[in-house]
Amino acid sequence: MRSGIVAAAFAGLTIVTANAQSLQERVPMCLACHGEQGTSQNENTPSLGAQTAPYSLIQLYLFREKQRAAEPMNEMTKGLSDDDLRTLSDLIAKLPPPQPVVGTLDNARVAAAQALVQQHRCNFCHAPNLAGQENVPRIAGQREDYLVKTMREYKSNTRHGYDASMAEVLQPVTDAQIVELAYYIARLK
Amino acid sequence: MTPTYTARRALLLAGTIGGLLLAAGPLAAQTPPASEPASPPAAQAPADPAPAAPPAAQAPAPTPPPAAAQAPAPTPPPAAAQVPAPAPSQSMAPSAGPAAAQTAPPAPPAAAAQAPALPPGSPLIGRPNNESAMKLAPIAPPPIPAAADKLPVNKFKVPKGFKVEVYASGVANARSMREGDKGTVFVGSRLIDKVHAIVEKDGKRQVKVLYSGLYRPNGLAFKDGTLYIAELSQISKVEKIEDNLDSPPKPTVIYNDLPKDEAHGWKFLAIGPDNKLYFEVGQPCNNCMPSDKHGQIRRINPDGSGAEVYARGVRHSVGFDFHPVSKELYFTDNGRDWASEDVPEDELNRVTKVGEHFGSPYCYQGDFPDPEFGWGKSCSEFTPPVAKMGPHSASLGMRFYTGKMFPNEYRGGIFVARHGSWNRTVKFGGDVVYVTLNKDGTVKSVKPFMTGFLEDNKYIARPADVLVLKDGSLLVSDDYNGAIYRVSYGNGRTASR
């Protein structure tokens, strides 16, 4: 079995850090919550699949520095070196894109949400297919509950982003529109 | 989590991780993840029922950093331990797998034609969607500063007789700068939580973290031994700071009657000839009608009392300084985005009376009535800028040159750091300009002084603030690389390392 071979190869890798848990010891816990194939099954826990490396690096940095207060992420990143963060970000970028929500689509909701995406230019910063670019994250196929939670937190200034772009962007977006956007974006491949 | 791990599961995960780590390494080119056979979507999320009215978001009370709560040992939720078997999908699709693709919603349309009609009067009507415009996004620098040997100091161009060198590296997200009476250079930041102090000891320069855990400490001012720090929604002070650089006391908050909006919330701080502290409160949006607490420059006494609105109609100023002779306040202002590539330009303004209104959001750059808010108003009602500073150039930190090192043509004018545009297909700015003034305080010319921050329409560095040191040289902060450069003239003493 393939994983047997790579497991043996993996056993040969040693990443030594000065902390209680090395990077390689922590990664299984990351994947346990966030999903092994890039898709999270857990409420309000984001899918990480195919996330842009610069964005992941920024968020991991914010967690490590406790600029973004969100357990268990602050604990999970404690003591990781800058290089560990880069390694993790690159690893995350290689996870498969998240599986979007499946099911019959409400076409009226989709059309209305597409208009919102146009109007608020989500598809500019996040790229036309919402797969993200550079420091702007992939959002296509993200968990619907996480999208709603995140947009609300940005709008209410509760979540302090790295820069303030999302707070600015969401200023004219209503809560009802946030719900509609999340519906659509969670179903995008 | 650990007790529920079986050895077999640990091996499976280890294999996955090993595979991923290998893929991240030299094998990446040969084994792109896409070529791996897709495992059956065992983890396929069941279709959400139409989202019921979501429960009101339980917004956690904002915790002032660095409130490090006693974090429990991380335990992933038990549900994660069970990888769901390929259960029959709860989705309403006729079958899982390829058929699901039929119900995937189409990607956001590239052509405006497919979008439903925009509301009347919407500024978005007629706006083309074309490929180059559709990649525009604010640019955030990496959080970790660039290594000293990676700094593009050799790419910068300055006029003949001037020289640029690295003053300090490893100053993450270096932004506003101030010099203390004893020569300490204080540096604020916008995206991280630190204030740095740069000191010279035995001829060597050291970068220290002075404070950590602050909230966007972009604004700094220094007077009579006291350092003032402007975070997003509070202003603090620390007395006798240069005597206590190794263990600085906790800053004392002197003023916090400030909105908490993230958007344009970070502050610039300056002390006027009247000894008052000046700072701005930016508009909490790209373009909106601000409250009477936003879109302004305020001033307060050094003890935090006597708050007064000094200038209004200011969208977001992140740099200001006082004319050494007339004592008038000059400030840069960032114009709105998404109106057009070229209009409105950013501004350099001059305040001649308390409460003066500079136009935002009704009128930008003195002669551009805003398409959304300008109706029923005239630009003639507001004070126009003394100079237009270029489209989306992000003119930020500025200082009047009061030193004696630079030649005569640089006396009495203003150095302005133009951070550089993001909302423009061909980037504009990304340089330091010198503004020459007429005797009456109006602007004679705006000329590039330090360029080379842009290469092939990409930033290799971005200037955020300038500072005239006591020796007459000019410091330029680069928040993109986390570094500070020093520009000197002629035989100006070489900055020692």
Side-chain angles (χ1 to χ4, degrees):
Chain A
M1 184 166 149
R2 184 193 168 86
S3 59
I5 298 164
V6 294
F10 173 74
L13 286 170
T14 47
I15 304 164
V16 178
T17 70
N19 301 286
Q21 277 197 313
S22 67
L23 181 62
Q24 71 194 73
E25 285 173 307
R26 295 189 207 203
V27 173
M29 300 179 93
C30 307
L31 301 181
C33 274
H34 288 285
E36 293 156 31
Q37 297 293 325
T39 304
S40 161
Q41 307 289 15
N42 292 318
E43 223 175 85
N44 288 324
T45 304
S47 297
L48 299 181
Q51 189 50 273
T52 73
Y55 176 77
S56 296
L57 178 65
I58 287 167
Q59 296 307 314
L60 289 168
Y61 176 90
L62 295 179
F63 286 135
R64 185 187 73 183
E65 302 298 310
K66 296 194 163 72
Q67 277 180 245
R68 183 179 163 192
E71 290 299 1
M73 288 312 298
N74 299 121
E75 188 61 30
M76 288 295 290
T77 50
K78 194 168 168 183
L80 290 178
S81 69
D82 291 347
D83 280 337
D84 287 340
L85 299 190
R86 289 188 184 102
T87 304
L88 262 179
S89 304
D90 291 340
L91 190 155
I92 288 166
K94 298 209 149 51
L95 292 170
Q99 299 278 342
V101 176
V102 291
T104 307
L105 293 174
D106 181 331
N107 289 321
R109 290 184 81 183
V110 165
Q114 283 179 309
L116 287 172
V117 164
Q118 284 268 104
Q119 182 181 354
H120 298 289
R121 302 180 206 92
C122 315
N123 55 346
F124 279 58
C125 296
H126 290 279
N129 56 359
L130 304 191
Q133 53 167 340
E134 297 298 327
N135 55 280
V136 185
R138 178 196 179 92
I139 52 178
Q142 180 53 268
R143 284 188 61 94
E144 190 168 349
D145 58 5
Y146 191 75
L147 287 168
V148 172
K149 172 179 140 78
T150 301
M151 283 191 273
R152 283 181 171 155
E153 286 174 350
Y154 275 134
K155 186 175 169 67
S156 65
N157 298 302
T158 327
R159 173 165 163 177
H160 302 160
Y162 187 50
D163 64 18
S165 303
M166 283 308 296
E168 184 176 326
V169 160
L170 287 169
Q171 183 264 336
V173 179
T174 67
D175 194 73
Q177 290 172 336
I178 284 175
V179 170
E180 295 310 297
L181 282 166
Y183 173 86
Y184 171 61
I185 294 167
R187 287 158 176 76
L188 269 183
K189 202 155 179 54
Chain B
M1 188 64 202
T2 314
T4 63
Y5 258 139
T6 64
R8 202 160 68 90
R9 174 168 168 74
L11 196 66
L12 182 69
L13 272 176
T16 312
I17 297 146
L20 287 166
L21 283 171
L22 285 171
L27 294 182
Q30 291 131 353
T31 55
S35 70
E36 290 171 14
S39 46
Q44 186 152 50
D48 272 11
Q58 292 302 319
T63 39
Q70 282 302 318
T75 43
Q82 297 146 10
V83 176
S89 168
Q90 291 169 348
S91 86
M92 292 174 276
S95 58
Q102 293 168 0
T103 53
Q114 287 177 272
L118 290 160
S122 165
L124 301 166
I125 291 172
R127 184 173 56 84
N129 285 340
N130 63 61
E131 217 191 307
S132 56
M134 285 189 76
K135 289 186 196 148
L136 295 176
I139 298 144
I144 296 156
D149 59 349
K150 295 277 193 301
L151 294 174
V153 62
N154 294 324
K155 301 256 172 106
F156 298 131
K157 290 187 175 35
V158 282
K160 196 164 186 310
F162 288 90
K163 172 175 96 206
V164 189
E165 62 195 328
V166 175
Y167 181 83
S169 63
V171 191
N173 197 233
R175 296 271 300 191
S176 310
M177 299 176 287
R178 293 290 175 195
E179 186 179 8
D181 297 328
K182 299 186 180 173
T184 314
V185 172
F186 299 97
V187 192
S189 62
R190 175 177 83 102
L191 303 180
I192 64 169
D193 60 347
K194 298 178 175 37
V195 173
H196 288 91
I198 305 173
V199 291
E200 258 184 61
K201 217 172 195 160
D202 311 319
K204 289 197 74 174
R205 204 166 290 127
Q206 277 180 9
V207 176
K208 298 160 129 46
V209 174
L210 192 67
Y211 289 108
S212 202
L214 301 179
Y215 183 19
R216 301 202 195 280
N218 190 71
L220 293 179
F222 184 95
K223 183 118 191 236
D224 299 333
T226 301
L227 178 70
Y228 298 86
I229 302 172
E231 298 173 76
L232 187 125
S233 57
Q234 70 183 19
I235 301 176
S236 327
K237 69 170 182 184
V238 195
E239 290 170 4
K240 299 195 178 56
I241 182 68
E242 289 181 293
D243 299 337
N244 294 301
L245 291 173
D246 288 321
S247 47
K250 192 162 147 52
T252 313
V253 177
I254 56 170
Y255 184 77
N256 60 9
D257 181 15
L258 288 164
K260 296 197 171 10
D261 304 279
E262 281 271 271
H264 302 128
W266 58 96
K267 308 253 173 307
F268 189 84
L269 193 60
I271 296 176
D274 53 4
N275 219 27
K276 292 186 191 241
L277 287 161
Y278 289 71
F279 52 91
E280 89 288 2
V281 183
Q283 289 183 192
C285 54
N286 170 37
N287 198 39
C288 62
M289 189 62 65
S291 76
D292 59 3
K293 295 194 182 327
H294 291 95
Q296 58 194 219
I297 294 177
R298 285 189 212 172
R299 64 179 175 184
I300 56 174
N301 295 320
D303 63 357
S305 65
E308 181 182 18
V309 175
Y310 191 65
R312 298 176 298 140
V314 180
R315 183 172 170 279
H316 191 202
S317 172
V318 199
F320 31 87
D321 196 13
F322 296 83
H323 193 294
V325 177
S326 72
K327 311 296 183 196
E328 287 172 330
L329 178 70
Y330 284 67
F331 67 92
T332 51
D333 197 3
N334 287 276
R336 62 159 291 180
D337 295 314
W338 298 116
S340 78
E341 295 263 8
D342 291 340
V343 173
E345 298 187 40
D346 286 356
E347 306 173 13
L348 175 66
N349 291 291
R350 171 178 65 157
V351 186
T352 56
K353 58 182 194 295
V354 179
E356 201 165 0
H357 198 300
F358 290 86
S360 178
Y362 311 103
C363 169
Y364 289 103
Q365 72 166 41
D367 56 15
F368 178 71
D370 186 69
E372 206 177 331
F373 296 106
W375 300 95
K377 294 277 191 191
S378 165
C379 278
S380 60
E381 298 172 42
F382 311 106
T383 305
V386 289
K388 291 179 184 170
M389 296 299 285
H392 307 284
S393 62
S395 299
L396 301 184
M398 51 163 278
R399 299 287 191 285
F400 282 84
Y401 186 74
T402 49
K404 293 194 172 43
M405 184 194 280
F406 291 4
N408 280 338
E409 62 197 280
Y410 294 99
R411 310 284 173 93
I414 312 172
F415 284 103
V416 181
R418 300 199 298 193
H419 201 224
S421 65
W422 69 264
N423 194 225
R424 194 169 192 270
T425 314
V426 176
K427 291 184 171 62
F428 190 90
D431 55 16
V432 177
V433 296
Y434 183 71
V435 180
T436 330
L437 299 179
N438 298 313
K439 284 224 156 45
D440 65 356
T442 56
V443 168
K444 188 159 149 195
S445 66
V446 178
K447 291 211 178 89
F449 177 75
M450 181 177 168
T451 59
F453 293 81
L454 262 175
E455 196 173 73
D456 296 329
N457 209 33
K458 278 193 155 73
Y459 294 109
I460 58 173
R462 293 184 85 185
D465 194 19
V466 291
L467 177 68
V468 182
L469 288 179
K470 288 191 190 54
D471 69 4
S473 61
L474 186 75
L475 293 187
V476 180
S477 61
D478 171 7
D479 69 348
Y480 191 80
N481 290 304
I484 298 175
Y485 311 105
R486 176 174 177 268
V487 183
S488 56
Y489 181 79
N491 295 324
R493 183 181 67 83
T494 307
S496 57
R497 303 287 301 184

